[in-house]
Amino acid sequence: MVWKGEQETFHIPLATFESPLWPSTARGAKISRLTNGIHVAVGDERMARSILLEAPSAMEALATMQHILQNTAIIRDAVNATTRHGRFCDVHGQVAGHLLYLRIEMQTGDAAGHNMVTAAAEAALQAICKQFPHLKYGSLSANMCTDKKNAAINGLLGRGHYTIAEIRIPAEICRQHLRTTPARLAKLNQQKNWVGSMLAGSVRSANAHVANILLAAYLATGQDAANIVEGSQAFTLAEEQEDDLLFSLTLPNLIVGTVGNGKHLPFVEENLMRLGCRQTRPNGENATRLAAMIGAATLCSELSLLAALTNPDELMRTHRKLERKQP
Amino acid sequence: MVWKGEQETFHIPLATFESPLWPSTARGAKISRLTNGIHVAVGDERMARSILLEAPSAMEALATMQHILQNTAIIRDAVNATTRHGRFCDVHGQVAGHLLYLRIEMQTGDAAGHNMVTAAAEAALQAICKQFPHLKYGSLSANMCTDKKNAAINGLLGRGHYTIAEIRIPAEICRQHLRTTPARLAKLNQQKNWVGSMLAGSVRSANAHVANILLAAYLATGQDAANIVEGSQAFTLAEEQEDDLLFSLTLPNLIVGTVGNGKHLPFVEENLMRLGCRQTRPNGENATRLAAMIGAATLCSELSLLAALTNPDELMRTHRKLERKQP
Amino acid sequence: MVWKGEQETFHIPLATFESPLWPSTARGAKISRLTNGIHVAVGDERMARSILLEAPSAMEALATMQHILQNTAIIRDAVNATTRHGRFCDVHGQVAGHLLYLRIEMQTGDAAGHNMVTAAAEAALQAICKQFPHLKYGSLSANMCTDKKNAAINGLLGRGHYTIAEIRIPAEICRQHLRTTPARLAKLNQQKNWVGSMLAGSVRSANAHVANILLAAYLATGQDAANIVEGSQAFTLAEEQEDDLLFSLTLPNLIVGTVGNGKHLPFVEENLMRLGCRQTRPNGENATRLAAMIGAATLCSELSLLAALTNPDELMRTHRKLERKQP
Amino acid sequence: MVWKGEQETFHIPLATFESPLWPSTARGAKISRLTNGIHVAVGDERMARSILLEAPSAMEALATMQHILQNTAIIRDAVNATTRHGRFCDVHGQVAGHLLYLRIEMQTGDAAGHNMVTAAAEAALQAICKQFPHLKYGSLSANMCTDKKNAAINGLLGRGHYTIAEIRIPAEICRQHLRTTPARLAKLNQQKNWVGSMLAGSVRSANAHVANILLAAYLATGQDAANIVEGSQAFTLAEEQEDDLLFSLTLPNLIVGTVGNGKHLPFVEENLMRLGCRQTRPNGENATRLAAMIGAATLCSELSLLAALTNPDELMRTHRKLERKQP
């Protein structure tokens, strides 16, 4: 699904000790108001939990996996019986020797879905063990989920909301409001976020400081903020196109919910309310809306920081100015 | 330096929405009191910032890097002039084509050191550009730092406190208090944390849920919690040795501070005070103490979760029991 | 498909300068004759090529990808029209900003399929550009294939023959013929292949020297040996089970062919003939047979090296002995 | 050391079944003759082997590592006593729990050095076990070497010849001889080699087909061709600068030798002779020369392929034309 909100302006709450994040995000937001705005697309939503089963042999592990992947009803039915709020969506498998890993995926509506998918995985595990008595329980959670650890699998198979935020900025606005040019920003992005990350041995991660804004937005909206680990695996693109800068941020693993643990705290309720994420909508649309908003806010701050870094002395000078202003 | 605290007992504050983390950590802590306790070693402390310079050619980029790595005084002096609280400790380099990346590393005492190292990197960058006029400014931060993104470089070259927590648990205590055996826990750890993570395409990460406890401890002690991204790249080992379980958690990138942003909030001050991390000690020892304590607490919860996962139905049953108790 | 050959014994040709590989593989092969043999399962076969398209915006890139993934006929038909020997099997997509990557996958019968899939990808690219005029050609090959570079994607989505070889070895045979025990070998495998590889920052790779045997077998059977890069991403498991060692090698990306470039050289023809891989069989079964055989041979050498490494001085002593024997 | 050969022209032998590699490399070579040529810098040379030791506890593993890293004489002396052709150069360490990994690095002159470093590692291991009786032998090779498996560590700490080849090409020559422009080639390189590889979950690898040329050159010059696994972890940069294309290939792990296994075969001797790599020079300079030459040849083919891919139908059309010409 591509999320297409009406055009609107909103204020995102950011809870952080790193106070320069506020003016940085605000600068990006200002650019969005001076242009055609930030367009956000949310392309997929799922939560995953992987289970582990032990077979007597590799041959049996592989044969059973193939059987299950061709007959997913056993997992689907077990999963769907555990909840009214989510539903089974897919299962992927891997076999290493006699070990069988199954990654169970479901749509979890407005909930981030950690507990929902664990309960569903437990039911699936029991159903499998019952139907295939040659398999033994291995683990209810087997790190191919992958929860709160970096991994390539999440971006490739999906976990959370696949969110892309994009803005087109005329060169003149780059110059006036970001003190840079499309060409300089594109070059810095390539050399820092792509070459630098690759040299560092990063896996599926090419951005400047996505984790900062995710953390601040997660804390302000009652999310399980440990999911910034996956969330930080995001991609910043900056391309000069004719006289514009096309700038985007792709967040393949943005995990958010508007119901569940932490959402009943008064400040969380208030923040979600203000963001319009507590309205009566089809199940899942409040969470999708929140993902889109956090995606847009993260783009703002990413843009502002990268623009600042194109100038040799801007970043620290601004930091110092901000610190002097503080009490 | 190996940190050797006196033997002591402490209460770690954990700020989290995921309430099962409290009894889980407490169960691990109980095991530590029933045995010889958790031993923690902190082996290295540094904060890093990478800068980027552009040379006219690959030949010149490489020659300049080699010159700088053999004559580090230029960086050392620039770095040390920016602060009284930290000091230059090392510099590493990489050249890709005509691009020169320098990773500047310093010891930052009781501060986590993000701002300190950025200011130092700016000074080093200016000194280099002045001495090598053929080099052009590229970026003050170039993703080989690597800050709040996953990367292999941090664990290999150092970032934060290299912290190892370890406990030896007799089989009898495993059985009575963790409802498992050393052999079963060792096997689950291998199949879940190592094989599962490798299959998922994780880079330098093999643990169950380190990010959860790091986040909770970071929030309670005023840390920049976005550093759980690096912090989550940790290694859990479980080995059966004769009749014991040798269980350890290695956290190569545990970034903590006891001074700096966020540390003056009343609840943070109180928590740091209670942990004994606000005492008059040589610069750096309060932070090292905090790293050791967080390392020990994280081991407790990691141990408890893995033990629970060795039993097919324990995890969800316990979760449900805890949830029913809540208002 | 699980490959179930009749039980048979074969000689694998290995072309290598590293002569200790011969006795090492032979030692493993001897173990296989003393036990119930090596069982090999081949679970999936596909070749992949990724194409790149540029959309005017992220929104359009995502919407087009979703349309194509739900209507794969356009790609299927284009692919299937290019060849009688292969057939379309699946397509996966990724969007980063306005860039659309499509990974086209096909079964290629007895051919490794590099050229077949490139021709098919070209046809698919043209069909897509024609049907979606807002998309522009990006690249006919876009590194998500991933050909001859390491990547997590190949093992997760499939490339080449997914091959698992396994053997069960009684402890007594371990002691007599491998000078080790199941427990010692399992421990070394864990500490070297899993912990060591993870510390090194390896992605989806945990084995000792799979690349060596793959290269030798590839050169002897006329393969494109540059595919050892993906092939080397393999997993060695060793587990003590009661009084046995269960030892397996999982090769998710074993790329082989029995027809195509290089297969008409006389020595290749002879080697393939001897291996029974030039017989009249349904298209694809000769290649599957070859994959199984190479998988078994690689397990032999992996087993022998790991056993040798459990003893402090065995490896170099054996090397020296072998070298003295040479002219 | 930066290698500065006299300006010279040479013919590189390439042994491959993929015959389009010859005209592809030749096209790149032609460009080099029309411009100021390819400049190659070789910046570091070392071979590494990692050993594993088991300590009674994490505390002791860490303390011993720190002692050894501060007193490297024990390793240096043991290493240097094993050979007259190489010498100790550095040691790096990692501790995970009670496991101590030491990566021993040495310069190996004109030999690739696999056997030399294994013999040296064995001697170091024995010396360490003797001096630190609380440590037990773990493994003579522990995957942090990292030999013939992908890993981030090799590029960060060094393995093989760190080789960078670079060429500056005027736009006019791009147009006439590569049928492309600097801007188009730079864009394709970014989108394919960097974004595509990152999406695929590649670790420290961003190039099109380096493994192909490495394999062909390795086979023709008697190398252990399994080292293309590390060698393939290479970086292609393409940047438009004013009216030129600055194009480079960085190969951090190019492992080559001009003496040792395989070098006495007549065709190898002849090829090395023709390349001028069998002359009387200080130990190591023949191998460095060979690394530089292979680096230059690999750049040629990388350039040609990328240029072809900028045009929608060039690659397959050329392939088909070449195939028709073949018997």
Side-chain angles (χ1 to χ4, degrees), chain A residues 11-12 43 80 158 192 228 248 257 288 291 294 301 304 310 322 325:
Chain A
H11 288 83
I12 190 99
N80 288 345
K192 168 186 167 60
I228 63 168
S248 68
T288 301
I294 293 179
S301 187
S304 181
T310 62
L322 289 167
K325 280 189 198 160

Side-chain angles (χ1 to χ4, degrees), chain A residues 9-11 26-38 167:
Chain A
T9 308
F10 63 91
H11 288 83
R27 184 162 75 140
K30 185 180 168 192
I31 303 296
S32 79
R33 293 191 302 276
L34 295 170
T35 61
N36 285 331
I38 300 166
I167 188 170

Side-chain angles (χ1 to χ4, degrees), chain D residues 231-267:
Chain D
S232 73
Q233 295 187 261
F235 306 112
T236 301
L237 289 186
E239 197 175 296
E240 194 185 8
Q241 290 195 344
E242 287 158 27
D243 213 35
D244 293 344
L245 171 70
L246 185 64
F247 186 87
S248 68
L249 177 62
T250 304
L251 296 139
N253 309 123
L254 187 51
I255 297 174
V256 294
T258 54
V259 298
N261 285 344
K263 307 305 178 303
H264 294 297
L265 296 176
F267 79 90

Side-chain angles (χ1 to χ4, degrees), chain B:
Chain B
M1 192 209 58
V2 175
W3 181 78
K4 283 184 187 156
E6 298 300 303
Q7 192 178 328
E8 58 178 301
T9 309
F10 62 92
H11 288 84
I12 190 98
L14 298 174
T16 181
F17 295 142
E18 205 179 331
S19 51
L21 292 182
W22 296 318
S24 152
T25 310
R27 184 163 77 141
K30 184 180 168 192
I31 304 296
S32 79
R33 292 191 302 276
L34 294 169
T35 59
N36 285 330
I38 299 166
H39 294 236
V40 189
V42 179
D44 185 71
E45 181 265 306
R46 65 185 67 196
M47 176 48 61
R49 178 68 65 199
S50 66
I51 57 176
L52 168 62
L53 297 136
E54 239 184 301
S57 69
M59 195 74 93
E60 285 160 284
L62 188 57
T64 311
M65 180 181 81
Q66 293 178 324
H67 179 87
I68 289 175
L69 295 187
Q70 280 155 26
N71 305 276
T72 56
I74 178 177
I75 293 183
R76 184 197 63 210
D77 294 349
V79 164
N80 288 345
T82 58
T83 176
R84 280 167 308 133
H85 304 295
R87 61 190 180 78
F88 170 79
C89 118
D90 208 348
V91 57
H92 286 87
Q94 283 264 307
V95 168
H98 63 299
L99 305 177
L100 167 55
Y101 295 79
L102 293 171
R103 187 180 196 265
I104 295 166
E105 302 159 16
M106 62 190 299
Q107 279 161 347
T108 59
D110 283 324
H114 297 85
N115 291 343
M116 201 189 291
V117 78
T118 309
E122 188 191 39
L125 192 47
Q126 287 168 350
I128 292 168
C129 285
K130 200 170 156 191
Q131 182 170 337
F132 303 98
H134 63 288
L135 297 182
K136 283 194 304 180
Y137 168 86
S139 181
L140 174 56
S141 173
N143 282 31
M144 271 181 52
C145 313
T146 296
D147 194 40
K148 300 164 185 172
K149 276 94 62 184
N150 78 64
I153 202 172
N154 285 337
L156 293 175
L157 300 185
R159 195 166 204 257
H161 290 77
Y162 198 111
T163 306
I164 315 182
E166 190 178 51
I167 188 170
R168 181 176 290 275
I169 310 172
E172 188 47 35
I173 290 179
C174 277
R175 266 189 295 273
Q176 274 189 26
H177 298 276
L178 294 168
R179 289 187 285 278
T180 193
T181 65
R184 285 167 60 208
L185 205 145
K187 185 174 154 185
L188 180 119
N189 181 59
Q190 158 67 353
Q191 295 179 347
K192 168 186 167 60
N193 285 339
W194 293 90
V195 181
S197 297
M198 197 58 107
L199 292 178
S202 294
V203 68
R204 279 187 60 91
S205 174
N207 65 80
H209 73 147
V210 159
N212 274 333
I213 303 294
L214 287 191
L215 176 71
Y218 275 13
L219 291 177
T221 59
Q223 309 300 316
D224 185 344
N227 286 121
I228 64 167
V229 178
E230 302 102 304
S232 73
Q233 295 187 261
F235 306 111
T236 301
L237 288 187
E239 196 174 298
E240 192 185 9
Q241 290 195 344
E242 287 159 26
D243 212 32
D244 294 343
L245 172 70
L246 185 64
F247 187 85
S248 68
L249 177 61
T250 304
L251 296 139
N253 308 124
L254 187 50
I255 297 174
V256 294
T258 55
V259 298
N261 285 343
K263 307 306 178 303
H264 294 297
L265 296 176
F267 80 91
V268 171
E269 289 223 317
E270 192 185 317
N271 283 335
L272 289 176
M273 202 86 77
R274 280 193 193 158
L275 290 169
C277 293
R278 272 296 176 89
Q279 298 182 3
T280 307
R281 289 199 178 92
N283 186 21
E285 294 199 3
N286 276 320
T288 300
R289 178 180 168 86
L290 183 57
M293 287 174 154
I294 294 178
T298 311
L299 175 142
C300 288
S301 187
E302 186 77 1
L303 171 66
S304 181
L305 173 58
L306 290 175
L309 283 171
T310 61
N311 298 314
D313 57 355
E314 183 173 333
L315 189 74
M316 285 309 295
R317 207 182 51 222
T318 312
H319 262 255
R320 286 185 193 110
K321 214 183 288 178
L322 288 167
E323 276 168 11
R324 272 198 298 274
K325 280 189 198 160
Q326 287 182 329

Side-chain angles (χ1 to χ4, degrees), chain C residues 8-145:
Chain C
E8 57 178 303
T9 307
F10 62 92
H11 288 82
I12 190 97
L14 298 174
T16 180
F17 296 142
E18 204 178 330
S19 51
L21 293 182
W22 295 319
S24 152
T25 309
R27 184 162 77 141
K30 185 181 169 192
I31 304 295
S32 79
R33 293 191 302 275
L34 295 170
T35 61
N36 285 331
I38 300 167
H39 294 236
V40 189
V42 179
D44 184 72
E45 180 265 307
R46 66 186 66 198
M47 177 46 63
R49 177 67 65 199
S50 66
I51 58 176
L52 168 63
L53 296 137
E54 240 184 301
S57 69
M59 196 73 91
E60 286 160 285
L62 188 56
T64 311
M65 181 181 80
Q66 292 178 324
H67 179 87
I68 290 175
L69 295 187
Q70 281 155 26
N71 304 276
T72 56
I74 178 177
I75 292 182
R76 184 196 65 209
D77 295 348
V79 164
N80 288 346
T82 58
T83 176
R84 282 167 305 136
H85 303 296
R87 60 188 180 82
F88 171 79
C89 116
D90 209 349
V91 58
H92 286 87
Q94 283 265 306
V95 168
H98 64 299
L99 304 177
L100 167 54
Y101 295 79
L102 293 171
R103 187 180 194 264
I104 295 165
E105 302 159 17
M106 62 189 298
Q107 277 160 348
T108 59
D110 283 324
H114 298 84
N115 291 342
M116 201 188 294
V117 80
T118 309
E122 189 190 38
L125 192 47
Q126 287 168 352
I128 292 168
C129 285
K130 201 171 156 191
Q131 182 170 334
F132 303 98
H134 62 288
L135 297 182
K136 282 194 305 182
Y137 168 87
S139 180
L140 174 56
S141 173
N143 281 32
M144 271 182 50
C145 315

